[in-house]
Amino acid sequence: MSKYSLLIKTLFRQQFRLDKSNKSSKSAKIGVYIAVALSGVILIPLIGFSTWNMATIAVQYQLEQEFLSIIFMGIQVLTLIFGTIMLVNTMFFSRDNEYLSVLPIKPQTIFFSKLFYVIVNELMLAGTLGAVAVIILGIVGKLGVAFYILGLISIVMSALLPLLVSSLLLFPLMYIMSYIKRSTTLSSILSVVAFVGFMAIYMYFIGNMESVIDPTDPNAIILMIQNFGQMLFFNYSLAGVVMLSEGLVRNLLITLGVYGIAFVVTYFMSSIVYKRGLVMQSEKSETKVKKVGYQQISLLSSLIKKDFKEMKRDTSVLFQCGMSAIMAPIMIALVFGLTYKDMGIDGEAASVLVNTIGVFFIIFMTIGTNIAATSAITRENRCFYIMKLIPVPYEMQIKAKQYLAVTIAGVGIILGTIVCMIFGMHILLGICLIINCLLLAYGFSAFQIKLDLDRPKLNWDNFAHAVKNSRASLLTMLVTMVVSLIAVALSAAPMIVSIFFEMEIGMVSSILISQGLLFILAVIFTAIMRNSIYKKLDYYFDKLEV
Amino acid sequence: MLKIENFSKTYKSTGKKAVENLNLELFPGEIFGLLGPNGAGKSTTIKTVCGILACEEGTITINGYDLKKQTIDAKLSMGYVPDNHETYDKLSGMEYINFMADVYGVSIEDRKARGDKFIKIFNLEEAINKQIKTYSHGMKQKIVVIGALIHNPKLWILDEPMMGLDPSSAFELKEAMRQHASEGNTVCFSSHVLEVVEKLCDRICIIDDGKLVAIGKIEDLKGNSGDNSLEDYFLKLTGGTEA
């Protein structure tokens, strides 16, 4: 047990310990904690409000067990989405694996310590939201102390199950990955396909769920609670145990059986294959590179080429940085293709939605999630010193970073707009949107690189951990959300004006007015952002002492 | 070649004074050794000379260029090999050489001539088109050395260059340093291996607790103090701490 606690303690110290000697690191971490707390303050009442109504109906029709089962399902979906990525990165792609594999610690001890670390991290979000829902059900149903105690324990249990199942699926997957990791492109494509497949199933599920529920019909909600609540027998049984419902012994046996089997199988699998998996991941693999001779290209091209090659030859970096280019068009296609179709939206209504929601998606998903820009300096990691060493003005180095980031975002913008056009976006709007978004992407890249340059993470062992919840990513998402909402408002403004003032504004005029205004906004934003970083480059670089 | 005047360095993040009022001058054609106990300020001095750390107090002149005012020109005339050999390890050796040559503006003819020469000297022919991440510690050191020498810098600075090298790699590196100095350039390196310093350096300086405590030819320093070896002299001067 002491080795478990030692490992767990070390993992958490690595994550949470503040560098007391470094004031900026301390304030940065405190800033992130405050941002997380504020998000919680906003999110929890929202979840609480929507849960309250459902809980009231569930209690009224004695469907508490079913409702609790749905809460567990929600926790599991959240854990599956966010936890699996963290699980892969922590279990298999973390650089401490090589070090840990030579220590006199059993592989299953390493495995379960890391699993505990992941589950605690995931419970911060899924567990908090789940606890809010459980407490609300307890209040509405006037349930006793036993419910709250068992309910909170069951939240941890329900989050644990998808991680155990994911781990079991990951063992063979990691074996396959270790064989194909010579090809970064192939493994990145596989990662994207897996992610997109998962998202498609999720969207289909959500789409179907929305199509079967008529929120105005209480019977539909009752039916939905019944169906979804009993869909997963192990959640239903666990809920039965928490509610101390009829058939307690049977429910208890099912719960113990399911969790026991999952735990025992994972324990034995981890003891047999985890160490081998770790070793295989740690083995030096050589990505095939094209044989080249002496070549001379321009300085700017050389800087961009170097950065791009470093990015594309690292699966984790390529996946994170290329996500905005690939995911935006796919997500737009999924949203418009599955959800709206199932909701029966078509014709002019669909066109209006695509012209407004499409604008939001393109800006938010390509620019707001452009990790290539928010990790421009962080990506350099321990090689950052080379940026300061080489006889190249900082302006040119940052320009190279900006061009690469805008190119990646540009792919997403163009593909995303084409997808929107397929779903009915006006061609003129599409063309204007591409120009405006490219301009915005350039301005935002300056903003994003400035944020990263201000506080980069330069000593990371795991890229996904380095960029997860980074200040640059969080702030960028907030600002792009505001800008994309402004863009949506501008898109809708001529239409609203025409209705309100009973004026006749044609589609073409409407697009030209809204996109013209967006263009002016983009030019001003880009000029301000570009100025703010290039004027103070020496200051930012000088303060980074490596 | 390199002139450091009244240089002091305090780390902003910790407030620790790492170097205090350092004055130093290096001349063409010499190999200069920088000695000092751990944490004495050797790496801080080297990193500041290379532009990795900011120089707030004092003046550093490299080949006649003021590091603060003519930063790019000063950087163009020097090459640096770090102690950790951290480099762009997803690139192949050849891609890295091409990148460094592009950065230092080396013509295609010059990069071919120098690149081929060093690849042969360091026995990297087989590995040059493989990713650097697959290289051994010594091979990484060698590729970083080629990157630092591809523009034939007048000043070549190395931080702990012998650390972790096998005897043959260490020999090749020492030969390269001698060759570079014999062509009228300056080589400056920090080291913990006093035997290497004794055999290789024309002059040395010893830094202790951020201050320069000795500078000169090894024989002169030993002779003035009456010590038989550089080790005795070093230990006496630094209070017995290891180099």
Side-chain angles (χ1 to χ4, degrees):
Chain A
M1 189 50 96
S2 63
K3 281 182 182 170
Y4 276 109
S5 60
L6 192 69
L7 265 179
I8 291 165
K9 237 191 276 178
T10 311
L11 287 167
F12 281 106
R13 271 186 190 150
Q14 283 282 99
Q15 185 181 3
F16 292 110
R17 180 168 277 181
L18 296 173
D19 180 1
K20 284 176 186 164
S21 63
N22 193 333
K23 285 173 193 166
S24 63
S25 145
K26 198 175 167 181
S27 57
K29 280 210 170 178
I30 291 170
V32 170
Y33 296 149
I34 291 171
V36 170
L38 279 175
S39 310
V41 168
I42 298 164
L43 214 61
I44 288 169
L46 278 173
I47 299 281
F49 181 72
S50 53
T51 312
W52 190 278
N53 292 331
M54 298 268 275
T56 310
I57 295 169
V59 170
Q60 197 181 340
Y61 290 91
Q62 292 168 335
L63 294 170
E64 293 95 333
Q65 188 177 341
E66 283 82 354
F67 186 69
L68 193 56
S69 174
I70 293 173
I71 294 173
F72 295 153
M73 202 199 291
I75 293 169
Q76 285 160 349
V77 169
L78 273 178
T79 315
L80 210 57
I81 294 172
F82 299 107
T84 308
I85 298 168
M86 193 180 182
L87 196 72
V88 175
N89 284 316
T90 309
M91 294 286 182
F92 294 98
F93 292 129
S94 183
R95 285 196 194 173
D96 62 3
N97 285 343
E98 197 173 338
Y99 171 70
L100 289 173
S101 64
V102 296
L103 292 178
I105 303 174
K106 285 180 185 172
Q108 56 266 49
T109 310
I110 300 172
F111 179 86
F112 279 98
S113 302
K114 287 196 166 194
L115 188 68
F116 183 80
Y117 168 75
V118 173
I119 202 168
V120 171
N121 267 283
E122 290 317 309
L123 280 173
M124 284 179 199
L125 175 70
T128 310
L129 298 179
V132 170
V134 166
I135 291 166
I136 285 170
L137 179 64
I139 295 167
V140 175
K142 294 179 182 130
L143 299 165
V145 182
F147 168 80
Y148 291 102
I149 296 167
L150 290 171
L152 294 177
I153 294 169
S154 63
I155 287 170
V156 180
M157 285 175 72
S158 51
L160 178 67
L161 196 63
L163 292 179
L164 287 174
V165 175
S166 294
S167 309
L168 283 174
L169 296 173
L170 280 173
F171 289 131
L173 192 68
M174 282 304 122
Y175 265 106
I176 299 165
M177 289 287 277
S178 65
Y179 283 112
I180 60 160
K181 77 173 182 177
R182 282 166 67 92
S183 168
T184 317
T185 316
L186 186 60
S187 41
S188 297
I189 289 169
L190 270 181
S191 310
V192 171
V193 167
F195 193 79
V196 169
F198 179 77
M199 287 312 289
I201 294 166
Y202 175 73
M203 300 293 286
Y204 183 75
F205 179 74
I206 296 292
N208 274 347
M209 199 167 90
E210 283 174 356
S211 64
V212 296
I213 301 166
D214 176 1
T216 55
D217 181 5
N219 290 327
I221 298 174
I222 295 159
L223 200 65
M224 189 273 290
I225 294 174
Q226 257 175 351
N227 290 342
F228 281 107
Q230 293 175 11
M231 190 191 269
L232 300 173
F233 73 95
F234 44 87
N235 281 344
Y236 189 60
S237 300
L238 180 62
V241 174
V242 177
M243 297 297 303
L244 303 173
S245 314
E246 203 178 314
L248 181 65
V249 177
R250 187 176 60 93
N251 286 333
L252 192 63
L253 285 174
I254 292 172
T255 303
L256 288 176
V258 168
Y259 281 84
I261 289 168
F263 188 82
V264 169
V265 173
T266 313
Y267 186 84
F268 282 108
M269 283 286 279
S270 65
S271 67
I272 299 163
V273 294
Y274 184 56
K275 186 159 189 174
R276 182 72 198 125
L278 284 185
V279 173
M280 286 177 87
Q281 288 297 321
S282 305
E283 278 169 4
K284 277 183 185 173
S285 69
E286 188 193 341
T287 306
K288 278 185 188 166
V289 292
K290 209 172 127 192
K291 198 175 172 181
V292 290
Y294 295 101
Q295 296 169 339
Q296 189 172 12
I297 52 172
S298 76
L299 184 52
L300 187 64
S301 307
S302 193
L303 291 166
I304 297 171
K305 196 173 164 185
K306 181 273 298 172
D307 206 6
F308 179 64
K309 280 185 176 167
E310 284 277 300
M311 183 192 287
K312 88 176 174 94
R313 289 176 187 168
D314 187 314
T315 310
S316 176
V317 178
L318 181 64
F319 182 69
Q320 299 275 346
C321 294
M323 191 95 108
S324 62
I326 304 161
M327 290 309 292
I330 293 170
M331 289 300 288
I332 290 167
L334 287 173
V335 167
F336 290 145
L338 294 173
T339 316
Y340 289 167
K341 203 177 138 202
D342 286 337
M343 286 167 80
I345 300 167
D346 52 14
E348 201 169 321
S351 173
V352 170
L353 272 177
V354 172
N355 283 357
T356 49
I357 308 288
V359 171
F360 177 84
F361 267 113
I362 290 167
I363 296 176
F364 185 69
M365 293 205 67
T366 57
I367 303 170
T369 61
N370 191 0
I371 305 285
T374 52
S375 71
I377 308 298
T378 294
R379 223 165 39 236
E380 293 289 320
N381 200 17
R382 295 179 183 98
C383 287
F384 172 74
Y385 78 91
I386 299 176
M387 289 188 83
K388 297 184 86 176
L389 173 73
I390 57 176
V392 181
Y394 296 139
E395 288 84 354
M396 186 175 277
Q397 297 193 50
I398 295 302
K399 198 192 275 182
K401 296 265 180 201
Q402 265 194 290
Y403 285 175
L404 181 62
V406 173
T407 306
I408 291 169
V411 173
I413 289 166
I414 293 168
L415 292 177
T417 311
I418 290 170
V419 173
C420 283
M421 284 177 181
I422 293 167
F423 282 97
M425 180 180 270
H426 197 285
I427 292 172
L428 180 65
L429 175 61
I431 294 166
C432 292
L433 200 59
I434 289 174
I435 296 166
N436 282 336
C437 284
L438 286 174
L439 189 60
L440 272 174
Y442 184 73
F444 263 101
S445 68
F447 172 67
Q448 290 160 316
I449 294 172
K450 183 185 162 184
L451 287 173
D452 193 34
L453 184 60
D454 191 28
R455 282 171 204 169
K457 289 177 184 169
L458 296 174
N459 234 339
W460 48 265
D461 289 321
N462 185 317
F463 182 69
H465 285 184
V467 295
K468 192 185 179 191
N469 299 331
S470 84
R471 174 176 163 267
S473 302
L474 292 172
L475 280 173
T476 301
M477 278 204 268
L478 279 175
V479 178
T480 35
M481 191 171 277
V482 173
V483 171
S484 44
L485 286 174
I486 292 171
V488 170
L490 284 175
S491 298
M495 207 163 47
I496 295 164
V497 168
S498 70
I499 295 165
F500 195 71
F501 292 102
E502 291 178 355
M503 285 163 66
E504 194 66 34
I505 304 174
M507 182 63 106
V508 172
S509 311
S510 165
I511 290 168
L512 288 174
I513 293 167
S514 65
Q515 291 303 304
L517 289 169
L518 186 60
F519 180 77
I520 294 167
L521 184 83
V523 169
I524 295 168
F525 180 78
T526 302
I528 293 169
M529 287 306 145
R530 204 188 170 283
N531 206 30
S532 73
I533 183 171
Y534 283 97
K535 261 193 166 176
K536 290 176 79 182
L537 272 183
D538 284 341
Y539 160 78
Y540 286 121
F541 273 91
D542 281 350
K543 84 178 176 127
L544 288 172
E545 294 177 326
V546 287
Chain B
M1 201 62 89
L2 171 65
K3 199 171 181 183
I4 300 173
E5 292 167 286
N6 307 318
F7 165 61
S8 296
K9 175 74 191 171
T10 305
Y11 282 103
K12 282 175 202 158
S13 54
T14 56
K16 189 193 169 225
K17 192 146 200 165
V19 183
E20 207 174 329
N21 200 33
L22 182 72
N23 287 282
L24 208 60
E25 189 166 5
L26 274 63
F27 304 105
E30 74 171 348
I31 301 179
F32 190 88
L34 207 57
L35 296 179
N38 291 331
K42 303 186 298 290
S43 286
T44 302
T45 305
I46 284 178
K47 281 180 176 175
T48 311
V49 168
C50 293
I52 296 168
L53 295 176
C55 172
E56 291 101 6
E57 279 183 76
T59 312
I60 296 173
T61 314
I62 300 164
N63 302 308
Y65 299 113
D66 185 329
L67 185 64
K68 275 189 217 166
K69 293 172 189 155
Q70 298 156 292
T71 315
I72 302 297
D73 290 321
K75 285 178 178 177
L76 269 169
S77 64
M78 71 175 160
Y80 169 63
V81 178
D83 55 350
N84 53 19
H85 319 143
E86 287 288 353
T87 190
Y88 301 119
D89 63 1
K90 310 290 181 309
L91 300 184
S92 70
M94 183 55 83
E95 286 170 341
Y96 176 69
I97 293 173
N98 272 323
F99 171 70
M100 292 304 273
D102 285 333
V103 157
Y104 284 95
V106 182
S107 71
I108 196 90
E109 295 80 19
D110 286 346
R111 74 177 68 178
K112 190 173 180 341
R114 285 181 206 137
D116 284 347
K117 184 181 92 176
F118 288 121
I119 289 167
K120 199 176 171 197
I121 289 173
F122 291 128
N123 293 313
L124 285 176
E125 292 99 330
E126 291 267 308
I128 201 68
N129 272 302
K130 289 180 178 167
Q131 275 189 300
I132 297 172
K133 71 173 184 178
T134 63
Y135 287 15
S136 67
H137 180 84
M139 286 160 82
K140 273 187 190 166
Q141 168 83 316
K142 287 173 188 176
I143 200 70
V144 173
V145 166
I146 299 175
L149 292 179
I150 198 72
H151 62 294
N152 194 26
K154 285 185 178 170
L155 174 64
W156 182 20
I157 300 171
L158 305 96
D159 197 358
E160 308 285 356
M162 304 301 163
M163 208 160 58
L165 288 188
D166 61 50
S168 89
S169 300
F171 175 78
E172 285 156 3
L173 185 61
K174 280 186 276 183
E175 282 302 298
M177 287 159 79
R178 282 197 188 99
Q179 176 68 29
H180 198 67
S182 72
E183 290 166 4
N185 303 306
T186 306
V187 178
C188 171
F189 72 100
S190 67
S191 182
H192 280 120
V193 191
L194 295 177
E195 292 81 11
V196 172
V197 173
E198 206 158 6
K199 280 183 189 163
L200 206 60
C201 293
D202 300 303
R203 283 197 309 143
I204 61 159
C205 79
I206 297 173
I207 300 175
D208 189 21
D209 204 17
K211 293 178 192 121
L212 183 76
V213 289
I215 184 165
K217 289 184 175 172
I218 296 170
E219 290 310 314
D220 292 347
L221 294 173
K222 283 197 295 190
N224 293 341
S225 66
D227 289 307
N228 291 326
S229 69
L230 180 60
E231 191 178 29
D232 290 339
Y233 178 67
F234 179 87
L235 292 175
K236 197 161 83 182
L237 218 57
T238 58
T241 34
E242 279 178 30

